[in-house]
Amino acid sequence: QVQLVESGGGLVQAGGSLTLSCAVSGMRFGIAVMGWYRQAPQNQRELVATITSGGSRDYLDSASGRFTIARDHAENRVDLQINNLKPEDTAVYYCYVKRVVRPYEFWGQGTQVTVSS
């Protein structure tokens, strides 16, 4: 059974930093993309960062260098470091995995990040 378990969310003051982690179990091979999305209240879910099996990274357009995604192949984990947090970063952050065989996509349950001003 495939599971994505996120950790690292919480309440942080503006200007602070967080590292979100997503541990993937039940699936080790055939992963094409790992990443993070977020959804703020009354907003659509949006891409924050992804990393391919080849190491290519893609970030939210407005990331401004504050986000760094990294994949740990040995631990089968994907981390997202967020620096200089802003109140507008407040959202539920979801881990995402896309693989090359069906079912193609998996989502974690989400971890809340709240940034106070």
Side-chain angles (χ1 to χ4, degrees):
Q1 182 179 358
V2 176
Q3 286 190 316
L4 280 60
V5 179
E6 300 114 329
S7 61
L11 175 63
V12 185
Q13 285 190 331
S17 298
L18 271 180
T19 298
L20 306 180
S21 292
C22 174
V24 180
S25 61
M27 173 174 52
R28 181 167 289 275
F29 301 106
I31 295 176
V33 179
M34 303 180 81
W36 291 89
Y37 285 69
R38 70 184 182 185
Q39 187 167 16
Q42 301 181 341
N43 285 0
Q44 290 187 332
R45 191 171 296 189
E46 63 179 356
L47 179 149
V48 176
T50 59
I51 183 168
T52 69
S53 58
S56 297
R57 294 169 172 82
D58 190 19
Y59 291 100
L60 179 70
D61 287 343
S62 60
S64 302
R66 298 188 299 115
F67 296 82
T68 303
I69 190 169
R71 179 178 175 180
D72 186 324
H73 288 267
E75 296 292 329
N76 213 21
R77 190 182 75 237
V78 59
D79 297 333
L80 179 71
Q81 181 176 352
I82 313 173
N83 296 321
N84 190 22
L85 279 154
K86 302 178 180 182
E88 52 263 41
D89 293 321
T90 296
V92 178
Y93 285 70
Y94 295 92
C95 180
Y96 167 80
V97 169
K98 180 178 181 180
R99 68 179 184 181
V100 299
V101 295
R102 290 189 177 92
Y104 293 122
E105 298 184 334
F106 297 86
W107 294 89
Q109 291 188 328
T111 185
Q112 176 71 46
V113 173
T114 302
V115 184
S116 63
S117 57

